[in-house]
Amino acid sequence: MLLKIEFESDVPIYTQIKNQIIEGIALGLLKEGDEMPSIRQLASDFGINLHTVKKAYDLLKDEGFLSVHRRKGYVVTKNAFADDDFIEKLEKDLQPILANAYSRGMMQDEILKICEDILHKFKNEE
Amino acid sequence: MLLKIEFESDVPIYTQIKNQIIEGIALGLLKEGDEMPSIRQLASDFGINLHTVKKAYDLLKDEGFLSVHRRKGYVVTKNAFADDDFIEKLEKDLQPILANAYSRGMMQDEILKICEDILHKFKNEE
Amino acid sequence: MLLKIEFESDVPIYTQIKNQIIEGIALGLLKEGDEMPSIRQLASDFGINLHTVKKAYDLLKDEGFLSVHRRKGYVVTKNAFADDDFIEKLEKDLQPILANAYSRGMMQDEILKICEDILHKFKNEE
Amino acid sequence: MLLKIEFESDVPIYTQIKNQIIEGIALGLLKEGDEMPSIRQLASDFGINLHTVKKAYDLLKDEGFLSVHRRKGYVVTKNAFADDDFIEKLEKDLQPILANAYSRGMMQDEILKICEDILHKFKNEE
DNA sequence: GTGGTCTAGACCACT
DNA sequence: GTGGTCTAGACCACA
C-alpha cells in the first residue's frame, strides 16, 4: 500500500495519512494483523515530522483501526464499530457534501451512483 | 430559514454558516433571488463578528450560490454547476467518509441508504 | 444608444454609466453636441438614484466628455485630451491587466490581437 | 522582487500587492516554486495589517498564482489559465480603458504601441 | 516558525 | 442603510 501526501492540500498531513490508511483497510489493501511501517520510517520516507505521523497513528488507534504491539509496533486492528454516535457523525458529515452536489443541479440518482461506485471499490471479504 | 451555530464545534463558524446555507438551498428553503440577511444583521443575531459572516458569504459568492446586488445586498443565485473539477472534489471528499463507515463494518447497502435518505430530503420541484 | 446596468457587478453603477458613455463616444454612437437624457429620466429608466446618475455625469464633465448646457442639459463634448498624466494613468491601468493575461500563458500576439479587435470597433471619422 | 505600496492611492492595498505579484510573475521576477515572504513578514515590512496581505495572497491562490504549501507557506504556482471566462473578463476590462484613450483623440496605433511596449517587458523564456 | 480563525471596532464607498 | 477596506491584537492548528 502506497501513501501519497499532498503538501499543498488544505487537508492536514496527519489527516491525509489517517484517511488513506482507513481507505486502505476498506479496499482490503490492509488486513487485520498487518504491521504498519514504523513512525520513523514513514516520516523519513516523506520528509515529514515524526509528530505528524504519530498523530495520525494515535488517532487511528483511538478510533480502533490500529493498536500498538510491544514488538511489532502499530498493527492493523478492526476494532472500530459503527455505533449511534458514529452514524450521527456520518450523517452530519455527508449532509453538506451531498447538499452541495444537489444544489449544483446534480440529480439524486447521479449523486447516489457516485457513492455506489466508491463503495463498490471496497472489498467485502470478511 | 433558521441557522444554528455550534460554538463548541471544531468546524469553523464560517463553514457552519456556509454549509447550512447550501443545505437551505438544497432543501428549497432558500430560492433564487431571495435576499440574505445583511452581514451585520446575521452577525449580531448570533453574537459573532461581521468578518466571520462575510467570509461565509464571500465563499458562497465564489462558489456561485450568492451574489452581491448593489441595492439588495447578498442574494441567492444558483450559478454553481457540477463541472468535472467539482465531481472530482466530490469523490475525494466522499471517499474517506464512506471508507470509514465501511471499515467499521457497515454494509454497502446500509451506507447507501443513509445517503439516499439525506438526498430524499432535498426538494426536487423547481 | 442603450445603457445596460448590471446590479450584481462589483463595478459601481456610476462607473458603469460613465464607462458606457465613453464607449458610446468611442464607437461613434454619441457625437459631439448630442444631448444626453436628463438625470431624472435616466434614473427613473433604471430605477436608480438621482445621485448615482449625477455622479456619473459630473465625472464625465470633469473629464471633458460632457458639458452642461443651460437649456439642453448635459451635452456631449469632445474636450478631453490625452496629456502626459493620462498616458501615465493609461499605462498604470493596462499593466496589471496585460500582466495577468500574460501570466496565464497567453502569447503576446494573442493579447495584442484582442486589444486591436476592441480598437477596430471604434469609429475614426473625425 | 520589490513591492511598492501607495497608501494615498484609491486602489486598495491588497489589490496593489496582488497586481504587483502578478506583474512580478509576468516579468519573470517570480518563478514557479518560489516561496513568498510570510504573511506576517510582508505585513510588518510595509507596516500594514496581516489581514490585508492575507487577502492579497488568498485572491492570488484563488486565481491559481499561489498555493499554500504546508511547510513553505505561500508558494508561486502557475496554475492559472486563460479560459473563456477570463478572455471575456479581459475584454470587459480593456474595453473602457481603450475607449477612454481613443475618445481622447489618441490614434489606434498609438494606443496599440503602448500595449505592445508593456507586453514586451514581459519575459518569454520559460 | 507558518498559516487559520475570530474578535472589536473604525472609516469609507455606494445607493 | 448596505457592503468594502483596514487596523490591532488574540488564540489555535499544523509541522
Side-chain angles (χ1 to χ4, degrees):
Chain A
M1 140 137 224
L2 214 67
L3 291 183
K4 184 165 167 288
I5 293 182
E6 297 179 5
F7 286 98
E8 317 217 336
S9 165
D10 55 346
V11 180
I13 294 174
Y14 75 84
T15 305
Q16 294 185 40
I17 295 174
K18 175 179 159 247
N19 283 345
Q20 288 181 49
I21 289 174
I22 293 178
E23 283 160 39
I25 294 173
L27 292 165
L29 300 173
L30 291 173
K31 298 191 184 58
E32 184 134 31
D34 284 359
E35 301 176 20
M36 296 301 296
S38 78
I39 291 181
R40 242 166 250 289
Q41 181 65 46
L42 221 169
S44 85
D45 282 357
F46 290 104
I48 58 181
N49 198 297
L50 293 176
H51 299 323
T52 308
V53 181
K54 180 159 169 34
K55 178 157 188 178
Y57 277 14
D58 283 348
L59 284 171
L60 287 163
K61 192 183 69 176
D62 290 347
E63 294 197 34
F65 290 116
L66 293 184
S67 56
V68 187
H69 186 284
R70 194 155 294 276
R71 281 213 318 281
K72 297 180 188 166
Y74 286 84
V75 173
V76 177
T77 331
K78 295 183 94 168
N79 200 23
F81 299 103
D83 56 13
D84 287 353
D85 279 359
F86 177 77
I87 302 277
E88 194 180 330
K89 186 181 178 308
L90 177 62
E91 290 170 348
K92 212 166 179 173
D93 287 345
L94 285 173
Q95 174 129 339
I97 298 174
L98 300 179
N100 197 330
Y102 185 75
S103 297
R104 288 174 121 95
M106 289 181 75
M107 302 306 299
Q108 282 147 335
D109 288 351
E110 205 176 344
I111 300 171
L112 220 51
K113 178 70 166 50
I114 288 178
C115 297
E116 219 172 327
D117 287 349
I118 293 172
L119 285 166
H120 281 356
K121 291 192 301 185
F122 301 150
K123 217 173 172 181
N124 52 348
E125 36 93 31
E126 29 182 343
Chain B
M1 142 138 224
L2 215 66
L3 293 183
K4 185 166 167 291
I5 293 180
E6 296 178 5
F7 289 98
E8 339 70 43
S9 167
D10 57 343
V11 179
I13 296 176
Y14 72 82
T15 304
Q16 295 185 40
I17 297 174
K18 176 180 160 242
N19 283 346
Q20 288 181 51
I21 289 175
I22 292 177
E23 286 160 28
I25 294 174
L27 293 166
L29 301 173
L30 290 174
K31 296 192 186 59
E32 183 137 30
D34 284 0
E35 301 175 21
M36 298 300 296
S38 83
I39 291 179
R40 282 163 171 80
Q41 180 65 47
L42 217 166
S44 86
D45 283 357
F46 289 107
I48 59 179
N49 193 278
L50 86 185
H51 291 118
T52 308
V53 179
K54 180 164 163 42
K55 176 149 188 182
Y57 277 14
D58 280 347
L59 285 172
L60 288 163
K61 187 180 77 172
D62 289 346
E63 292 198 34
F65 290 116
L66 295 182
S67 57
V68 184
H69 184 109
R70 294 225 83 112
R71 284 208 313 264
K72 302 176 188 164
Y74 284 84
V75 171
V76 178
T77 328
K78 293 183 93 167
N79 197 25
F81 301 104
D83 56 11
D84 290 352
D85 280 357
F86 176 77
I87 303 276
E88 195 179 329
K89 187 182 178 307
L90 176 62
E91 290 170 350
K92 214 165 178 173
D93 287 346
L94 286 173
Q95 174 127 340
I97 298 175
L98 300 179
N100 197 332
Y102 185 76
S103 297
R104 287 175 125 92
M106 290 179 74
M107 302 306 298
Q108 284 152 334
D109 286 352
E110 203 176 347
I111 300 170
L112 221 50
K113 179 70 166 50
I114 290 179
C115 297
E116 220 172 326
D117 287 348
I118 294 172
L119 285 167
H120 281 356
K121 290 191 299 185
F122 301 150
K123 218 173 177 177
N124 53 349
E125 42 102 24
E126 33 181 341
Chain C
M1 140 140 225
L2 215 67
L3 291 184
K4 184 165 168 288
I5 293 182
E6 296 178 6
F7 286 97
E8 316 217 337
S9 165
D10 56 344
V11 180
I13 295 175
Y14 74 85
T15 306
Q16 294 186 41
I17 296 174
K18 176 180 157 244
N19 283 344
Q20 289 181 48
I21 290 174
I22 293 177
E23 283 162 40
I25 295 174
L27 292 164
L29 301 172
L30 291 173
K31 296 190 185 60
E32 184 135 32
D34 285 359
E35 301 175 21
M36 297 301 296
S38 77
I39 291 181
R40 242 166 251 288
Q41 179 66 46
L42 221 169
S44 85
D45 283 359
F46 291 105
I48 57 180
N49 198 297
L50 293 176
H51 299 325
T52 308
V53 181
K54 181 160 169 29
K55 178 156 186 178
Y57 277 14
D58 284 347
L59 284 171
L60 287 163
K61 191 183 73 176
D62 290 348
E63 294 197 34
F65 289 117
L66 293 183
S67 55
V68 186
H69 186 283
R70 194 155 293 275
R71 281 212 317 281
K72 298 180 187 165
Y74 286 84
V75 173
V76 178
T77 334
K78 294 185 94 167
N79 200 24
F81 299 103
D83 56 12
D84 287 354
D85 278 0
F86 176 78
I87 301 277
E88 193 181 329
K89 185 181 179 309
L90 177 63
E91 289 171 348
K92 212 165 179 174
D93 287 345
L94 286 173
Q95 174 128 341
I97 298 175
L98 300 179
N100 197 329
Y102 185 75
S103 296
R104 288 175 123 94
M106 290 180 74
M107 302 307 298
Q108 283 148 334
D109 288 352
E110 206 176 342
I111 300 170
L112 221 52
K113 178 69 166 49
I114 288 177
C115 298
E116 219 171 328
D117 287 349
I118 293 173
L119 285 167
H120 282 357
K121 291 192 300 185
F122 301 150
K123 216 173 172 180
N124 51 350
E125 38 92 31
E126 29 182 344
Chain D
M1 141 135 223
L2 215 68
L3 294 183
K4 186 167 166 290
I5 293 180
E6 298 179 5
F7 289 96
E8 339 71 41
S9 168
D10 57 342
V11 179
I13 295 176
Y14 72 82
T15 304
Q16 295 185 40
I17 296 174
K18 176 180 161 243
N19 283 344
Q20 287 180 51
I21 290 175
I22 293 178
E23 285 160 36
I25 294 174
L27 293 165
L29 301 172
L30 291 173
K31 296 192 186 58
E32 182 137 32
D34 284 0
E35 301 175 21
M36 297 300 297
S38 83
I39 291 179
R40 282 164 170 81
Q41 180 65 47
L42 217 166
S44 85
D45 283 357
F46 289 106
I48 60 179
N49 193 278
L50 86 183
H51 291 118
T52 307
V53 178
K54 179 163 164 44
K55 175 149 189 182
Y57 276 15
D58 280 346
L59 285 172
L60 288 163
K61 187 179 77 172
D62 289 345
E63 292 197 35
F65 290 116
L66 294 183
S67 56
V68 183
H69 184 108
R70 293 225 85 111
R71 284 208 312 266
K72 301 176 187 166
Y74 284 84
V75 171
V76 178
T77 328
K78 293 181 93 168
N79 197 24
F81 301 104
D83 57 10
D84 289 353
D85 281 357
F86 176 77
I87 303 276
E88 195 179 328
K89 187 181 177 307
L90 176 63
E91 291 170 348
K92 215 165 178 173
D93 286 346
L94 286 173
Q95 175 128 339
I97 298 175
L98 300 179
N100 197 332
Y102 184 76
S103 297
R104 286 175 124 92
M106 289 180 75
M107 303 306 298
Q108 283 150 335
D109 287 353
E110 205 177 344
I111 300 170
L112 220 51
K113 179 68 166 51
I114 288 178
C115 297
E116 220 172 326
D117 287 349
I118 293 172
L119 285 167
H120 281 358
K121 290 192 298 185
F122 301 149
K123 218 173 177 178
N124 54 348
E125 42 102 25
E126 33 180 343

